[in-house]
Amino acid sequence: MSIISTRKDGDVLVVTSNNPPVNALGQAVRKGLADAIAAAAADDAVKAIVITCEGRTFFAGADITEFGKPPVGPSLPDVINSIEASTKPVVAAIHGTALGGGLEVALGCHYRIAVASAKLGLPEVKLGLLPGAGGTQRLPRVVGVEAALPMIVKGDPISAAAAERIGLVDKLVAEDQLAESGVDFARSVASAATHPVSSARTDRLGSGLDDAFFDNFRKTELRRLKGFEAPEACIEAVRAAIDQPFAKGVKTERALFGKLVAGTQSRALRHVFFAERAAGKIDGIPADTPVLPVARVGILGAGTMGGGIAMNFLTAGMEVTILEREQVPLDRGVSIIRKNYERSASRGKFTAEQVEQCMGRLTPTLDMNDLADCDLVIEAVFENMDVKKEVFAKLDAIVKPGAILASNTSYLNVDEMAAVTTRPEFVLGLHFFSPANVMRLLEVVRAGKTSPAVLKTAMALAKKVAKVAVVSGVCHGFIGNRMLSPRQQAANAMLMQGIKPWDIDDALTGFGLPMGPFQMADLAGLDLGWNKETSNGETIRDVLCERDRRGQKTGRGFYDYDENRRRSPSQEVEAVIAAFVAKSGQAPQSLSAEDIRNRLLFPMINEGARILDEGMAQRASDIDTVWINGYGWPAYTGGPMFWADTIGLDVVVGGLKAFGHDVSPYLADKAAKGERFNS
Ligand code: 3H9
């Protein structure tokens, strides 16, 4: 079957796209659509046209893989203009997702019908772009600026019902009757004297939308999008829809799109899109490997981590049994889960009924025997190998054969835990990030004996609970925490050279990370692993803890904190550090923010290269996915490995040598050959 096919249903021409998996609007699709519209115009027997798609979805957008390559016509804007110019009405019949260029095609049509399960949106902003085929000009004309602006600037899709409410969809139709409904609808409008033309409409554009309206929108919505270039360009394009006639507005949109698509941020964000999808693919696993059924999950530990992990599965409709050693922490854990759900409900994310359904799927217990029937058990107990081993041995004896046993450890050796069980092929690491019900990352730790089916099951489960899963080998700290460690060492070394903690932190927050190493230390507590009895003032941390500067919880750590937990530099800390520097005999140094940043981040890239060299990560883009989704690395730089590619691996190697690091041979070799991590 060709990519675009046509068939006649009486006097209606049905144009169908069949371009799996998501009907992306690649060149062949565009050409086929343009030809079909031209053929319909030339055929007197055709009175109306329906555009629809085969497979799981309506057009999910332009073909992202074509960006950055020489364009081959017809262009998407030209195709959409030809649809809109048709004197015979064109109806978009939508199922699945009408996204980006797909929604722009639908907006070029005179009418839109959709099944209730469909979603419609303009997510280009998430790729560092704006809708570049008339979407920023047509959508405000069809639904009004107030409804269009958040859809374009934030990029979240809306339901078909919401789309109908705002006038984006003309009619909702039965799920299994889209094709017939499309033809019926087209026939019903075929003889109308005129048809709505999105670009010609002015009735919804509204008045009184001045600078203050847009400034207010920026204030409330752009804070979360700090550092991203595309949202502001989106706003500018929507303003053009109000301030300029359509023909000029699309030129403004085109110019803004051209600038963004050629820029570093969009390249990085497109990399992130494909990186997340690549992460789900596991090397060396036969395609026919089965996914094991998992209906009931057991969680050991009802603390912050265990409770957060439980919520993922409850929300996804699965049964969860949660185990604690004593009643009080068990009750506390369950009540925190409930509170979290109720808070989400108060924000409109759940109905009261859904909260009760989730809580109804939760079984609290003090008896480990109650985990016997679970298909998967995840332990989130104290981070200590002896404790973990004891837990694994007990679980192995209790939980039914064939069930998966997982550790939520963030550093420890999963092979050692597997070795105390009789089922090492069913053991793996599932490293959730805190807060586990919010953070998108899941490191799936493939232990030496983990079976392909268990690994594949873990990846499928991750998708079910809306996590981005990345496979890691067994090594200290896996991918993410292993790379954190050289950064921390570099930060500590700079302290000893007299660089202020706030200058170090600000270099990272200025780069776009949510916090620096000393803010993180204050948040976690400086006394984590510190012992009052044995502390002897040998390190800066010892001294700060001895002075009860143990972090945010004592109101003082590397920083002083006010009652709103706002940080400010501490003179006392500055004096402590100065004393250490003086004692070391070094002259205090000063460094630029860029120098500080490089000293912190280049060693991470070096460690990333080692991780790749050792095969602990499957691909460089997996490392990027870990850091963006688990540690808040700014997505618009593409992640640490993509960022290294952007600045040049030779620059990274030069920096590492200058800072006195051993350069990973893998990295040195790539730099010498002029290669990149991500090809
Ligand atoms: C745009 O439209 C610009 C215009 O305004 C202007 C132009 C001038 N292109 O996500 P999945 C692949 S920008 C190429 O796992 P799901 C994807 O890589 C675009 N490939 O499925 C994967 O490949 P593989 C605006 C694409 O069911 C496979 O399809 N649109 C595209 O979980 C399956 O994807 C968007 O940003 C594409 N556009 O989710 C929407 N989309 O199997 C982007 C997907 O080899 N797409 N692929 O790994 C999505 O959000 C999701 O794919 C979707 C399905 C929700 C549709």
Side-chain angles (χ1 to χ4, degrees):
M1 192 180 176
S2 59
I3 284 191
I4 296 289
S5 62
T6 55
R7 70 174 167 90
K8 274 192 198 155
D9 187 324
D11 52 2
V12 176
L13 184 75
V14 180
V15 180
T16 305
S17 169
N18 184 8
N19 185 28
V22 298
N23 280 304
L25 288 149
Q27 196 271 339
V29 177
R30 298 195 303 272
K31 171 93 172 48
L33 279 178
D35 289 349
I37 296 296
D43 187 342
D44 286 342
V46 172
K47 301 289 181 230
I49 303 154
V50 175
I51 296 180
T52 190
C53 292
E54 286 280 325
R56 65 196 216 218
T57 179
F58 193 74
F59 308 109
D63 185 338
I64 305 167
T65 60
E66 285 184 356
F67 294 153
K69 295 180 188 158
V72 184
S75 75
L76 190 57
D78 285 349
V79 174
I80 293 171
N81 287 341
S82 75
I83 294 171
E84 196 178 51
S86 165
T87 52
K88 301 171 184 181
V90 186
V91 179
I94 300 168
H95 76 293
T97 44
L99 298 178
L103 183 55
E104 291 175 298
V105 168
L107 283 163
C109 295
H110 306 97
Y111 303 95
R112 290 158 292 278
I113 65 165
V115 296
S117 61
K119 289 202 157 52
L120 299 89
L122 292 172
E124 287 88 341
V125 71
K126 298 187 182 188
L127 298 168
L129 298 170
L130 49 70
T136 65
Q137 306 304 299
R138 285 193 179 90
L139 187 65
R141 284 176 163 80
V142 171
V143 305
V145 174
E146 284 99 331
L149 191 63
M151 282 181 74
I152 293 169
V153 177
K154 297 204 277 177
D156 297 326
I158 59 171
S159 68
E164 190 200 23
R165 274 199 297 279
I166 62 173
L168 178 54
V169 161
D170 297 294
K171 191 176 179 194
L172 294 181
V173 299
E175 296 286 337
D176 54 352
Q177 284 165 20
L178 183 62
E180 303 88 304
S181 304
V183 171
D184 290 349
F185 191 96
R187 201 163 280 139
S188 75
V189 293
S191 56
T194 58
H195 305 290
V197 171
S198 303
S199 66
R201 286 178 64 173
T202 51
D203 54 307
R204 303 287 306 265
L205 276 178
S207 56
L209 299 176
D210 52 9
D211 287 347
F213 168 80
F214 287 95
D215 283 347
N216 197 29
F217 180 84
R218 280 189 188 92
K219 229 180 273 161
T220 51
E221 301 295 347
L222 290 198
R223 212 164 349 139
R224 270 185 324 113
L225 300 171
K226 207 172 141 224
F228 289 86
E229 289 163 0
E232 186 54 43
C234 288
I235 293 180
E236 214 178 302
V238 174
R239 279 218 74 147
I242 306 174
D243 298 343
Q244 300 172 0
F246 181 80
K248 196 160 175 224
V250 284
K251 281 196 184 133
T252 302
E253 176 195 90
R254 200 72 216 143
L256 289 165
F257 180 87
K259 211 167 136 201
L260 290 174
V261 79
T264 312
Q265 286 207 355
S266 176
R267 257 195 304 129
L269 289 163
R270 270 142 42 204
H271 161 75
V272 171
F273 177 85
F274 289 113
E276 284 186 5
R277 277 146 189 91
K281 301 186 169 79
I282 315 164
D283 291 343
I285 286 204
D288 59 355
T289 305
V291 171
L292 308 174
V294 176
R296 178 173 280 281
V297 180
I299 314 271
L300 255 82
T304 313
M305 205 62 202
I309 295 172
M311 287 181 73
N312 289 301
F313 297 102
L314 294 171
T315 306
M318 298 166 74
E319 302 287 328
V320 173
T321 305
I322 194 161
L323 174 85
E324 254 300 341
R325 278 182 305 185
E326 286 166 30
Q327 194 66 47
V328 173
L330 183 64
D331 292 346
R332 194 188 316 125
V334 170
S335 87
I336 289 173
I337 293 176
R338 174 172 280 285
K339 258 191 218 127
N340 284 340
Y341 274 125
E342 283 169 353
R343 195 172 324 125
S344 298
S346 72
R347 292 195 195 125
K349 285 192 180 158
F350 291 97
T351 62
E353 193 189 350
Q354 283 169 324
V355 172
E356 294 315 318
Q357 283 166 352
C358 287
M359 292 309 292
R361 288 191 281 270
L362 180 66
T363 311
T365 182
L366 297 173
D367 183 357
M368 199 184 260
N369 291 307
D370 289 345
L371 300 178
D373 281 341
C374 290
D375 306 297
L376 160 71
V377 178
I378 306 169
E379 67 77 17
V381 302
F382 190 60
E383 190 79 342
N384 170 291
M385 184 53 89
D386 292 335
V387 177
K388 302 270 191 201
K389 278 186 183 167
E390 197 187 318
V391 161
F392 267 87
K394 275 193 195 156
L395 284 175
D396 188 41
I398 289 173
V399 183
K400 68 182 178 191
I404 303 171
L405 305 181
S407 172
N408 177 51
T409 180
S410 27
Y411 284 96
L412 301 175
N413 187 325
V414 183
D415 283 328
E416 278 188 48
M417 300 176 210
V420 302
T421 72
T422 57
R423 59 175 108 185
E425 65 279 20
F426 287 95
V427 175
L428 83 172
L430 291 179
H431 180 209
F432 288 83
F433 286 68
S434 190
N437 52 322
V438 177
M439 298 295 286
R440 279 183 82 216
L441 180 65
L442 177 68
E443 276 183 328
V444 174
V445 185
R446 180 182 201 168
K449 293 191 176 157
T450 310
S451 80
V454 168
L455 199 57
K456 194 164 165 186
T457 304
M459 300 307 274
L461 260 182
K463 193 154 188 184
K464 189 165 176 186
V465 300
K467 297 280 178 217
V468 183
V470 173
V471 177
S472 168
V474 175
C475 57
H476 190 69
F478 315 119
I479 296 172
N481 284 342
R482 176 167 164 182
M483 286 169 70
L484 199 56
S485 166
R487 190 185 89 178
Q488 191 60 48
Q489 282 163 19
N492 293 344
M494 275 191 274
L495 269 198
M496 291 303 292
Q497 291 165 343
I499 316 294
K500 315 264 187 305
W502 26 96
D503 290 338
I504 296 173
D505 286 343
D506 290 352
L508 286 192
T509 52
F511 178 68
L513 277 146
M515 62 176 85
F518 299 106
Q519 286 168 281
M520 216 158 110
D522 274 1
L523 189 68
L526 266 60
D527 54 355
L528 206 76
W530 173 76
N531 188 333
K532 194 174 179 176
E533 311 306 320
T534 54
S535 180
N536 54 9
E538 251 181 29
T539 63
I540 293 171
R541 182 177 80 152
D542 280 348
V543 175
L544 296 186
C545 284
E546 284 163 18
R547 297 184 184 198
D548 208 30
R549 300 196 66 102
R550 291 184 287 130
Q552 282 198 19
K553 60 185 167 191
T554 55
R556 310 161 339 132
F558 281 101
Y559 295 90
D560 291 332
Y561 292 90
D562 68 11
E563 60 284 1
N564 296 317
R565 298 205 164 190
R566 260 192 309 251
R567 67 186 169 121
S568 58
S570 152
Q571 286 187 355
E572 184 185 359
V573 171
E574 206 171 324
V576 169
I577 295 170
F580 269 88
V581 176
K583 211 167 102 190
S584 75
Q586 291 198 50
Q589 295 184 24
S590 83
L591 293 172
S592 70
E594 190 183 325
D595 267 340
I596 296 174
R597 182 198 70 193
N598 292 349
R599 278 170 195 251
L600 293 166
L601 302 188
F602 286 6
M604 290 179 60
I605 293 155
N606 203 24
E607 197 62 38
R610 290 195 181 106
I611 287 172
L612 282 174
D613 195 19
E614 293 166 22
M616 291 296 147
Q618 299 190 84
R619 43 187 94 80
S621 64
D622 282 6
I623 298 178
D624 292 331
T625 302
V626 163
W627 270 83
I628 289 169
N629 292 289
Y631 300 82
W633 183 289
Y636 53 75
T637 70
M641 308 314 266
F642 186 88
W643 180 67
D645 284 340
T646 316
I647 57 176
L649 299 190
D650 51 338
V651 174
V652 177
V653 167
L656 284 166
K657 285 183 179 158
F659 310 146
H661 291 277
D662 288 337
V663 179
S664 134
Y666 179 85
L667 169 58
D669 184 54
K670 276 206 166 302
K673 290 184 184 147
E675 290 177 2
R676 302 159 55 93
F677 287 123
N678 294 284
S679 49

